[in-house]
Amino acid sequence: MKTPTDIGVYQRRRARLAAAMRSGVAIVPTAPERTRNRDSHYPYRFDSYFYYLTGFREPEAALVIVAGEQAKSILFCRDNDPEREIWDGFRYGPEAARAAFGFDEAHSIARLDALMPDVIADRGTLYCHLGADPGWDARITGWINEVRSRARSGVTAPGELKDVHALLDDMRLIKGPEELAVIRRAAAISAGAHRRAMRAARPGKAEYEVEAELLHEFRRNGAQAPAYAPIVAGGSRACVLHYVQNDGVLRDVELLLIDAGCELDGYASDLTRTFPVNGKFSGPQREIYQLVLAAQAAAIASVKPGNLWDAPHRAAVHVLAQGLIDLKLLAGSLEQAVETEAYRKFYMHRTGHWLGLDVHDAGDYKRGGEWRALAPGMVLTVEPGCYIRAGEGVPQRLAGIGVRVEDDVLVTDAGAEVLTRDAPKSPADIEALMSARDA
Ligand code: GLY
Ligand code: MN
Ligand code: MN
Protein backbone atom coordinates (compact mmCIF):
# COMPACT_ATOMS: atom_id res chain seq x y z
CA MET A 1 0.00 0.00 0.00
CA LYS A 2 1.15 3.51 -0.80
CA THR A 3 2.20 5.53 2.24
CA PRO A 4 1.15 9.18 1.99
CA THR A 5 4.08 11.41 1.08
CA ASP A 6 3.03 13.94 3.70
CA ILE A 7 1.31 12.48 6.75
CA GLY A 8 1.20 16.00 8.19
CA VAL A 9 -1.74 16.76 5.87
CA TYR A 10 -3.80 14.06 7.54
CA GLN A 11 -2.62 14.95 11.03
CA ARG A 12 -3.68 18.55 10.48
CA ARG A 13 -7.12 17.44 9.26
CA ARG A 14 -7.55 15.31 12.38
CA ALA A 15 -6.48 18.25 14.54
CA ARG A 16 -9.00 20.50 12.77
CA LEU A 17 -11.77 17.98 13.37
CA ALA A 18 -10.82 17.68 17.05
CA ALA A 19 -10.84 21.47 17.37
CA ALA A 20 -14.27 21.71 15.71
CA MET A 21 -15.62 19.03 18.10
CA ARG A 22 -14.13 20.84 21.13
CA SER A 23 -14.93 17.81 23.29
CA GLY A 24 -16.29 14.30 22.88
CA VAL A 25 -15.21 11.34 20.78
CA ALA A 26 -15.53 10.77 17.03
CA ILE A 27 -15.51 7.39 15.36
CA VAL A 28 -15.12 7.02 11.59
CA PRO A 29 -14.90 3.50 10.14
CA THR A 30 -13.65 2.70 6.67
CA ALA A 31 -15.86 0.91 4.11
CA PRO A 32 -16.50 -2.83 4.42
CA GLU A 33 -15.36 -5.27 1.76
CA ARG A 34 -18.31 -6.44 -0.33
CA THR A 35 -18.80 -9.94 -1.69
CA ARG A 36 -19.51 -10.13 -5.41
CA ASN A 37 -20.19 -13.84 -5.45
CA ARG A 38 -18.99 -16.71 -3.25
CA ASP A 39 -15.44 -15.78 -2.22
CA SER A 40 -14.91 -13.03 -4.84
CA HIS A 41 -15.07 -9.44 -3.72
CA TYR A 42 -15.84 -6.20 -5.53
CA PRO A 43 -12.65 -4.16 -6.00
CA TYR A 44 -12.06 -2.59 -2.60
CA ARG A 45 -12.62 1.17 -2.16
CA PHE A 46 -12.00 2.79 1.24
CA ASP A 47 -14.53 5.16 2.81
CA SER A 48 -13.95 8.75 1.67
CA TYR A 49 -14.31 10.33 5.13
CA PHE A 50 -11.96 7.80 6.70
CA TYR A 51 -9.42 8.24 3.92
CA TYR A 52 -9.64 12.03 4.16
CA LEU A 53 -8.58 11.81 7.79
CA THR A 54 -6.03 9.01 7.57
CA GLY A 55 -4.64 8.31 4.09
CA PHE A 56 -4.97 4.65 5.11
CA ARG A 57 -6.28 2.34 2.39
CA GLU A 58 -6.63 -1.06 4.07
CA PRO A 59 -10.08 -2.50 4.78
CA GLU A 60 -11.20 -3.40 8.35
CA ALA A 61 -10.10 -0.19 10.02
CA ALA A 62 -11.61 2.60 12.09
CA LEU A 63 -10.39 5.97 13.30
CA VAL A 64 -11.20 7.29 16.77
CA ILE A 65 -10.54 10.90 17.69
CA VAL A 66 -10.72 12.01 21.29
CA ALA A 67 -11.12 15.79 21.42
CA GLY A 68 -10.12 18.11 24.26
CA GLU A 69 -6.91 19.53 25.69
CA GLN A 70 -5.13 16.21 25.24
CA ALA A 71 -6.65 15.42 21.83
CA LYS A 72 -5.49 12.14 20.35
CA SER A 73 -6.18 10.00 17.34
CA ILE A 74 -6.34 6.23 17.53
CA LEU A 75 -6.28 3.80 14.60
CA PHE A 76 -7.85 0.36 14.77
CA CYS A 77 -6.63 -1.90 11.96
CA ARG A 78 -5.92 -5.49 10.98
CA ASP A 79 -3.14 -7.37 12.72
CA ASN A 80 -0.18 -8.65 10.80
CA ASP A 81 -0.95 -12.17 9.64
CA PRO A 82 1.90 -14.00 7.88
CA GLU A 83 -0.46 -16.71 6.59
CA ARG A 84 -3.00 -14.22 5.10
CA GLU A 85 -0.24 -12.02 3.77
CA ILE A 86 0.95 -14.93 1.58
CA TRP A 87 -2.44 -14.79 -0.13
CA ASP A 88 -3.47 -11.13 0.02
CA GLY A 89 -0.23 -9.23 0.44
CA PHE A 90 1.22 -6.79 2.93
CA ARG A 91 -0.74 -5.35 5.84
CA TYR A 92 0.73 -2.79 8.18
CA GLY A 93 -0.47 -4.08 11.52
CA PRO A 94 -1.20 -1.55 14.28
CA GLU A 95 2.32 -0.61 15.37
CA ALA A 96 3.77 -0.03 11.88
CA ALA A 97 0.59 1.82 10.84
CA ARG A 98 0.80 4.07 13.89
CA ALA A 99 4.37 5.03 13.06
CA ALA A 100 3.88 5.39 9.28
CA PHE A 101 0.64 7.38 9.43
CA GLY A 102 1.30 9.41 12.56
CA PHE A 103 -1.38 8.22 14.99
CA ASP A 104 -1.05 8.62 18.74
CA GLU A 105 -2.19 5.05 19.36
CA ALA A 106 -3.08 2.01 17.30
CA HIS A 107 -4.78 -1.26 18.21
CA SER A 108 -6.02 -4.40 16.56
CA ILE A 109 -9.47 -3.98 15.01
CA ALA A 110 -10.34 -7.20 16.86
CA ARG A 111 -10.24 -5.17 20.11
CA LEU A 112 -12.58 -2.40 18.97
CA ASP A 113 -15.67 -3.64 20.86
CA ALA A 114 -13.63 -4.34 23.98
CA LEU A 115 -11.96 -0.90 24.09
CA MET A 116 -14.64 1.49 22.84
CA PRO A 117 -16.87 1.52 25.95
CA ASP A 118 -13.93 2.87 27.97
CA VAL A 119 -13.05 5.39 25.24
CA ILE A 120 -16.55 6.89 25.10
CA ALA A 121 -17.34 6.78 28.84
CA ASP A 122 -17.60 10.24 30.46
CA ARG A 123 -16.92 12.03 27.16
CA GLY A 124 -20.31 13.68 26.67
CA THR A 125 -20.78 13.70 22.91
CA LEU A 126 -20.28 10.86 20.47
CA TYR A 127 -19.68 11.97 16.87
CA CYS A 128 -20.54 9.16 14.48
CA HIS A 129 -22.61 8.55 11.37
CA LEU A 130 -25.71 6.43 11.89
CA GLY A 131 -27.98 4.96 9.26
CA ALA A 132 -25.47 3.85 6.63
CA ASP A 133 -24.81 0.34 7.96
CA PRO A 134 -27.17 -1.42 10.40
CA GLY A 135 -24.35 -3.64 11.66
CA TRP A 136 -22.21 -0.62 12.53
CA ASP A 137 -25.18 1.16 14.18
CA ALA A 138 -25.72 -1.94 16.34
CA ARG A 139 -22.08 -1.94 17.44
CA ILE A 140 -22.27 1.70 18.52
CA THR A 141 -25.48 1.01 20.41
CA GLY A 142 -23.74 -1.94 22.03
CA TRP A 143 -20.88 0.27 23.34
CA ILE A 144 -23.34 2.83 24.71
CA ASN A 145 -25.35 0.11 26.46
CA GLU A 146 -22.16 -1.37 27.86
CA VAL A 147 -21.28 1.99 29.47
CA ARG A 148 -24.83 2.39 30.75
CA SER A 149 -24.62 -1.02 32.37
CA ARG A 150 -21.64 0.26 34.36
CA ALA A 151 -23.54 3.30 35.65
CA ARG A 152 -23.24 2.19 39.25
CA SER A 153 -19.48 2.38 38.98
CA GLY A 154 -19.94 6.10 38.33
CA VAL A 155 -19.38 6.33 34.56
CA THR A 156 -21.74 8.14 32.18
CA ALA A 157 -22.65 7.11 28.66
CA PRO A 158 -22.62 9.73 25.86
CA GLY A 159 -25.59 12.02 26.37
CA GLU A 160 -25.51 13.35 22.84
CA LEU A 161 -24.98 11.81 19.41
CA LYS A 162 -23.91 14.10 16.57
CA ASP A 163 -23.24 13.44 12.89
CA VAL A 164 -19.49 13.53 12.34
CA HIS A 165 -20.07 13.94 8.59
CA ALA A 166 -21.61 17.37 9.17
CA LEU A 167 -18.26 18.67 10.45
CA LEU A 168 -16.23 16.88 7.80
CA ASP A 169 -18.41 17.97 4.87
CA ASP A 170 -17.45 21.60 5.36
CA MET A 171 -13.79 20.67 5.55
CA ARG A 172 -13.97 18.50 2.43
CA LEU A 173 -15.71 21.21 0.43
CA ILE A 174 -12.65 23.48 0.28
CA LYS A 175 -9.83 21.60 -1.38
CA GLY A 176 -6.27 22.07 -0.20
CA PRO A 177 -3.24 22.30 -2.52
CA GLU A 178 -2.39 18.64 -2.01
CA GLU A 179 -5.91 17.64 -3.05
CA LEU A 180 -5.91 19.97 -6.04
CA ALA A 181 -2.68 18.43 -7.30
CA VAL A 182 -4.36 15.02 -7.45
CA ILE A 183 -7.63 16.40 -8.88
CA ARG A 184 -5.70 18.21 -11.63
CA ARG A 185 -3.86 15.04 -12.56
CA ALA A 186 -7.11 13.00 -12.56
CA ALA A 187 -8.71 15.62 -14.79
CA ALA A 188 -5.76 15.56 -17.19
CA ILE A 189 -5.83 11.75 -17.43
CA SER A 190 -9.56 11.83 -18.16
CA ALA A 191 -9.08 14.52 -20.80
CA GLY A 192 -6.45 12.31 -22.45
CA ALA A 193 -8.88 9.39 -22.36
CA HIS A 194 -11.54 11.46 -24.15
CA ARG A 195 -9.03 12.48 -26.82
CA ARG A 196 -8.17 8.82 -27.26
CA ALA A 197 -11.88 7.96 -27.57
CA MET A 198 -12.34 10.63 -30.25
CA ARG A 199 -9.47 9.12 -32.20
CA ALA A 200 -10.84 5.58 -31.80
CA ALA A 201 -14.51 6.16 -32.66
CA ARG A 202 -15.60 4.85 -36.07
CA PRO A 203 -18.91 3.91 -37.66
CA GLY A 204 -19.48 0.19 -37.09
CA LYS A 205 -17.56 0.00 -33.80
CA ALA A 206 -19.34 -1.11 -30.65
CA GLU A 207 -19.68 1.37 -27.78
CA TYR A 208 -17.75 -1.04 -25.54
CA GLU A 209 -14.76 -0.86 -27.86
CA VAL A 210 -14.59 2.88 -27.22
CA GLU A 211 -15.17 2.27 -23.50
CA ALA A 212 -12.16 -0.06 -23.56
CA GLU A 213 -10.00 2.79 -24.92
CA LEU A 214 -11.09 5.03 -22.03
CA LEU A 215 -10.36 2.38 -19.41
CA HIS A 216 -7.01 1.61 -21.01
CA GLU A 217 -6.00 5.26 -20.85
CA PHE A 218 -7.12 5.59 -17.20
CA ARG A 219 -5.19 2.56 -16.07
CA ARG A 220 -2.01 3.10 -18.08
CA ASN A 221 -1.71 6.46 -16.34
CA GLY A 222 -2.03 4.98 -12.87
CA ALA A 223 -5.67 5.81 -12.16
CA GLN A 224 -7.04 2.97 -10.08
CA ALA A 225 -10.59 2.87 -11.47
CA PRO A 226 -13.30 4.77 -13.26
CA ALA A 227 -14.89 7.20 -10.78
CA TYR A 228 -18.35 5.98 -11.90
CA ALA A 229 -19.73 3.64 -14.56
CA PRO A 230 -18.75 5.17 -17.92
CA ILE A 231 -21.57 6.23 -20.24
CA VAL A 232 -20.73 5.60 -23.91
CA ALA A 233 -23.96 6.36 -25.73
CA GLY A 234 -24.34 6.51 -29.51
CA GLY A 235 -27.27 8.23 -31.22
CA SER A 236 -30.53 8.47 -29.31
CA ARG A 237 -29.11 6.37 -26.45
CA ALA A 238 -27.52 9.67 -25.35
CA CYS A 239 -31.03 10.72 -24.30
CA VAL A 240 -30.99 7.99 -21.61
CA LEU A 241 -29.23 9.91 -18.85
CA HIS A 242 -27.76 6.91 -17.02
CA TYR A 243 -27.14 4.66 -20.04
CA VAL A 244 -24.32 2.29 -19.06
CA GLN A 245 -24.93 -0.85 -21.13
CA ASN A 246 -22.50 0.47 -23.76
CA ASP A 247 -23.29 -2.39 -26.13
CA GLY A 248 -24.80 -0.52 -29.08
CA VAL A 249 -23.11 -0.08 -32.44
CA LEU A 250 -21.95 3.38 -33.57
CA ARG A 251 -23.53 4.70 -36.73
CA ASP A 252 -22.12 7.05 -39.31
CA VAL A 253 -24.56 9.92 -38.99
CA GLU A 254 -24.91 9.87 -35.22
CA LEU A 255 -23.34 11.66 -32.28
CA LEU A 256 -21.52 9.83 -29.51
CA LEU A 257 -21.92 11.07 -25.92
CA ILE A 258 -19.21 9.92 -23.52
CA ASP A 259 -19.43 10.66 -19.79
CA ALA A 260 -16.37 9.07 -18.22
CA GLY A 261 -13.80 10.10 -15.63
CA CYS A 262 -11.12 8.30 -13.69
CA GLU A 263 -10.49 8.03 -9.97
CA LEU A 264 -6.90 8.70 -8.99
CA ASP A 265 -5.70 8.12 -5.42
CA GLY A 266 -9.27 8.49 -4.20
CA TYR A 267 -10.15 11.64 -6.18
CA ALA A 268 -12.73 11.69 -8.96
CA SER A 269 -12.85 13.46 -12.28
CA ASP A 270 -16.10 13.72 -14.20
CA LEU A 271 -16.01 14.63 -17.87
CA THR A 272 -18.49 14.55 -20.75
CA ARG A 273 -17.90 15.19 -24.41
CA THR A 274 -20.27 14.70 -27.35
CA PHE A 275 -18.92 14.39 -30.88
CA PRO A 276 -19.90 13.03 -34.30
CA VAL A 277 -19.02 9.37 -34.89
CA ASN A 278 -17.78 10.21 -38.40
CA GLY A 279 -15.82 13.25 -37.25
CA LYS A 280 -17.99 15.94 -38.89
CA PHE A 281 -21.01 17.66 -37.26
CA SER A 282 -24.16 17.68 -39.39
CA GLY A 283 -26.22 20.91 -39.51
CA PRO A 284 -28.81 19.88 -36.89
CA GLN A 285 -26.15 18.30 -34.64
CA ARG A 286 -24.13 21.49 -34.76
CA GLU A 287 -27.18 23.63 -33.88
CA ILE A 288 -27.89 21.67 -30.70
CA TYR A 289 -24.22 21.30 -29.84
CA GLN A 290 -23.54 25.05 -30.14
CA LEU A 291 -26.53 25.75 -27.95
CA VAL A 292 -25.25 23.47 -25.18
CA LEU A 293 -21.76 24.89 -25.54
CA ALA A 294 -23.12 28.44 -25.21
CA ALA A 295 -25.09 27.39 -22.11
CA GLN A 296 -21.91 25.91 -20.64
CA ALA A 297 -19.89 29.04 -21.40
CA ALA A 298 -22.51 31.18 -19.66
CA ALA A 299 -22.53 28.83 -16.68
CA ILE A 300 -18.72 28.80 -16.37
CA ALA A 301 -18.65 32.60 -16.64
CA SER A 302 -20.84 32.76 -13.55
CA VAL A 303 -18.50 30.57 -11.47
CA LYS A 304 -16.73 33.09 -9.24
CA PRO A 305 -16.33 33.70 -5.52
CA GLY A 306 -19.42 35.26 -3.97
CA ASN A 307 -21.83 34.04 -6.64
CA LEU A 308 -24.41 31.59 -5.33
CA TRP A 309 -24.28 27.88 -6.06
CA ASP A 310 -27.36 28.27 -8.27
CA ALA A 311 -25.85 30.96 -10.53
CA PRO A 312 -24.31 28.58 -13.11
CA HIS A 313 -27.54 26.58 -13.31
CA ARG A 314 -29.63 29.71 -13.83
CA ALA A 315 -27.24 30.97 -16.50
CA ALA A 316 -27.35 27.64 -18.36
CA VAL A 317 -31.13 27.42 -18.13
CA HIS A 318 -31.59 30.89 -19.59
CA VAL A 319 -29.41 30.16 -22.61
CA LEU A 320 -30.97 26.73 -23.19
CA ALA A 321 -34.55 27.95 -22.81
CA GLN A 322 -33.98 30.79 -25.29
CA GLY A 323 -32.35 28.37 -27.72
CA LEU A 324 -35.23 25.91 -27.43
CA ILE A 325 -37.67 28.76 -28.18
CA ASP A 326 -35.59 29.81 -31.19
CA LEU A 327 -35.65 26.21 -32.45
CA LYS A 328 -39.44 26.22 -31.96
CA LEU A 329 -39.18 23.30 -29.56
CA LEU A 330 -40.75 25.51 -26.89
CA ALA A 331 -43.50 28.10 -27.32
CA GLY A 332 -44.04 31.32 -25.36
CA SER A 333 -41.61 33.76 -23.78
CA LEU A 334 -38.28 33.13 -22.10
CA GLU A 335 -39.74 34.23 -18.76
CA GLN A 336 -42.57 31.71 -19.12
CA ALA A 337 -40.24 28.88 -20.16
CA VAL A 338 -38.01 29.53 -17.13
CA GLU A 339 -40.88 30.15 -14.71
CA THR A 340 -42.86 27.04 -15.67
CA GLU A 341 -39.70 24.97 -16.18
CA ALA A 342 -41.00 23.97 -19.61
CA TYR A 343 -37.34 23.51 -20.67
CA ARG A 344 -37.24 20.42 -18.45
CA LYS A 345 -38.70 18.40 -21.31
CA PHE A 346 -35.26 18.74 -22.94
CA TYR A 347 -33.02 19.58 -19.95
CA MET A 348 -34.12 17.67 -16.89
CA HIS A 349 -31.04 17.59 -14.66
CA ARG A 350 -29.13 20.25 -12.79
CA THR A 351 -26.00 21.91 -14.10
CA GLY A 352 -23.48 20.42 -11.68
CA HIS A 353 -22.40 19.08 -8.33
CA TRP A 354 -19.42 19.26 -5.99
CA LEU A 355 -16.50 17.06 -7.02
CA GLY A 356 -13.76 15.55 -4.88
CA LEU A 357 -13.20 12.20 -3.21
CA ASP A 358 -16.75 11.31 -4.26
CA VAL A 359 -17.93 12.07 -7.77
CA HIS A 360 -21.00 13.71 -6.24
CA ASP A 361 -18.92 15.10 -3.42
CA ALA A 362 -19.66 16.00 0.17
CA GLY A 363 -20.98 19.44 1.05
CA ASP A 364 -24.35 21.13 1.42
CA TYR A 365 -25.71 23.17 -1.48
CA LYS A 366 -27.85 25.34 0.77
CA ARG A 367 -27.19 27.03 4.08
CA GLY A 368 -30.17 28.04 6.24
CA GLY A 369 -32.43 27.64 3.23
CA GLU A 370 -30.27 29.84 0.94
CA TRP A 371 -27.97 28.71 -1.86
CA ARG A 372 -24.41 28.67 -0.66
CA ALA A 373 -21.88 31.18 -2.01
CA LEU A 374 -19.00 29.87 -4.11
CA ALA A 375 -15.54 30.30 -2.58
CA PRO A 376 -11.95 29.67 -3.73
CA GLY A 377 -10.97 26.02 -3.37
CA MET A 378 -14.38 24.59 -4.20
CA VAL A 379 -14.47 22.21 -7.16
CA LEU A 380 -17.67 21.63 -9.11
CA THR A 381 -18.82 20.26 -12.44
CA VAL A 382 -20.56 22.38 -15.07
CA GLU A 383 -22.59 20.06 -17.26
CA PRO A 384 -25.57 21.39 -19.19
CA GLY A 385 -27.18 19.19 -21.81
CA CYS A 386 -30.03 18.96 -24.26
CA TYR A 387 -31.85 15.70 -24.95
CA ILE A 388 -34.37 15.68 -27.78
CA ARG A 389 -36.40 12.49 -27.78
CA ALA A 390 -38.56 11.75 -30.81
CA GLY A 391 -42.15 12.70 -30.11
CA GLU A 392 -44.90 15.20 -30.58
CA GLY A 393 -43.73 18.62 -31.73
CA VAL A 394 -40.17 17.44 -32.41
CA PRO A 395 -39.03 17.82 -36.04
CA GLN A 396 -37.49 14.72 -37.56
CA ARG A 397 -34.14 16.43 -38.17
CA LEU A 398 -33.63 17.00 -34.41
CA ALA A 399 -35.17 13.77 -33.07
CA GLY A 400 -32.77 11.54 -31.17
CA ILE A 401 -30.03 14.15 -30.66
CA GLY A 402 -28.60 14.10 -27.14
CA VAL A 403 -25.75 16.41 -26.14
CA ARG A 404 -23.99 17.09 -22.83
CA VAL A 405 -20.76 18.98 -22.26
CA GLU A 406 -19.24 18.59 -18.80
CA ASP A 407 -16.10 20.08 -17.29
CA ASP A 408 -14.54 20.09 -13.84
CA VAL A 409 -14.10 23.63 -12.58
CA LEU A 410 -12.09 25.05 -9.68
CA VAL A 411 -13.28 28.27 -8.04
CA THR A 412 -10.26 30.58 -7.85
CA ASP A 413 -9.72 34.05 -6.38
CA ALA A 414 -10.12 35.47 -9.88
CA GLY A 415 -13.09 33.33 -10.99
CA ALA A 416 -12.81 29.86 -12.40
CA GLU A 417 -10.24 27.46 -13.80
CA VAL A 418 -11.42 24.64 -16.08
CA LEU A 419 -9.40 21.61 -15.01
CA THR A 420 -10.53 19.37 -17.87
CA ARG A 421 -9.63 21.90 -20.58
CA ASP A 422 -7.39 19.45 -22.45
CA ALA A 423 -10.43 17.64 -23.82
CA PRO A 424 -11.41 19.42 -27.06
CA LYS A 425 -14.90 20.87 -27.09
CA SER A 426 -15.31 23.47 -29.84
CA PRO A 427 -16.61 21.87 -33.05
CA ALA A 428 -13.48 23.09 -34.84
CA ASP A 429 -11.12 21.48 -32.29
CA ILE A 430 -13.09 18.22 -32.26
CA GLU A 431 -13.22 18.03 -36.05
CA ALA A 432 -9.50 18.85 -36.32
CA LEU A 433 -8.55 16.07 -33.89
CA MET A 434 -10.85 13.59 -35.58
CA SER A 435 -9.71 14.37 -39.10
CA ALA A 436 -6.07 13.96 -37.99
CA ARG A 437 -6.87 10.41 -36.81
CA ASP A 438 -7.57 9.37 -40.39
CA ALA A 439 -4.42 10.94 -41.83
N1 GLY B 1 -21.15 11.15 -14.29
C1 GLY B 1 -22.00 11.54 -13.27
C2 GLY B 1 -22.41 12.93 -13.39
O1 GLY B 1 -22.16 13.55 -14.40
O2 GLY B 1 -22.92 13.49 -12.46
MN1 MN C 1 -20.49 13.07 -15.67
MN1 MN D 1 -21.22 15.16 -13.25
Side-chain angles (χ1 to χ4, degrees), residues 208-222:
Y208 54 74
E209 293 180 79
V210 177
E211 180 184 6
E213 300 290 337
L214 296 158
L215 298 177
H216 181 89
E217 195 67 14
F218 291 168
R219 205 65 190 101
R220 72 186 277 278
N221 283 291

Side-chain angles (χ1 to χ4, degrees), residues 7 15 44 56 74 131 143 163 171 175 195 203 205 210 216 226 229 236 242 261 272 285 287 291 297 368 381 393 436:
I7 60 171
Y44 183 68
F56 193 69
I74 309 166
W143 307 332
D163 187 7
M171 290 170 59
K175 273 67 182 176
R195 289 197 304 272
K205 267 198 183 178
V210 177
H216 181 89
S236 60
H242 291 163
T272 307
Q285 289 169 353
E287 278 179 74
L291 173 60
T381 66

Side-chain angles (χ1 to χ4, degrees), residues 2-68:
K2 254 165 107 171
T3 310
T5 41
D6 181 6
I7 60 171
V9 165
Y10 300 94
Q11 289 174 313
R12 285 192 290 277
R13 290 179 190 158
R14 297 197 289 269
R16 266 185 76 191
L17 175 60
M21 291 160 60
R22 289 205 287 271
S23 64
V25 176
I27 170 120
V28 182
T30 195
E33 292 177 289
R34 300 269 184 213
T35 305
R36 188 161 183 270
N37 52 51
R38 293 185 185 263
D39 56 354
S40 289
H41 290 95
Y42 283 101
Y44 183 68
R45 167 58 157 72
F46 41 77
D47 174 79
S48 296
Y49 291 96
F50 175 84
Y51 182 72
Y52 180 77
L53 292 169
T54 64
F56 193 69
R57 301 187 190 191
E58 288 185 24
E60 296 185 78
L63 168 69
V64 174
I65 292 184
V66 181

Side-chain angles (χ1 to χ4, degrees), residues 270 353 360 381 383 406:
D270 184 6
H353 47 83
H360 295 171
T381 66
E383 50 177 306
E406 175 175 29

Side-chain angles (χ1 to χ4, degrees), residues 224-373:
Q224 288 82 0
Y228 52 92
I231 296 168
V232 183
S236 60
R237 294 181 293 282
C239 297
V240 179
L241 296 180
H242 291 163
Y243 175 82
V244 290
Q245 288 89 334
N246 301 350
D247 58 1
V249 174
L250 304 180
R251 295 221 314 242
D252 195 7
V253 290
E254 292 179 337
L255 291 174
L256 174 58
L257 182 154
I258 297 180
D259 185 345
C262 68
E263 179 179 298
L264 176 69
D265 294 339
Y267 285 84
S269 54
D270 184 6
L271 177 51
T272 307
R273 288 292 183 263
T274 309
F275 56 91
V277 168
N278 65 14
K280 204 89 190 120
F281 284 90
S282 72
Q285 289 169 353
R286 188 179 295 263
E287 278 179 74
I288 303 301
Y289 188 82
Q290 292 284 20
L291 173 60
V292 175
L293 205 55
Q296 205 218 19
I300 292 174
S302 69
V303 175
K304 54 176 80 144
N307 274 4
L308 299 186
W309 162 259
D310 207 31
H313 181 63
R314 289 168 59 92
V317 159
H318 273 80
V319 173
L320 284 168
Q322 184 60 57
L324 291 165
I325 292 168
D326 296 344
L327 287 161
K328 304 209 178 337
L329 289 168
L330 291 182
S333 68
L334 175 61
E335 290 69 31
Q336 279 170 341
V338 172
E339 176 70 26
T340 62
E341 301 190 342
Y343 60 83
R344 287 181 61 104
K345 182 174 174 195
F346 304 103
Y347 180 44
M348 58 296 281
H349 59 78
R350 291 193 58 88
T351 303
H353 47 83
W354 304 129
L355 182 76
L357 285 167
D358 299 332
V359 63
H360 295 171
D361 204 32
D364 293 331
Y365 294 93
K366 283 192 172 179
R367 267 291 161 84
E370 300 296 331
W371 293 112
R372 175 164 213 157

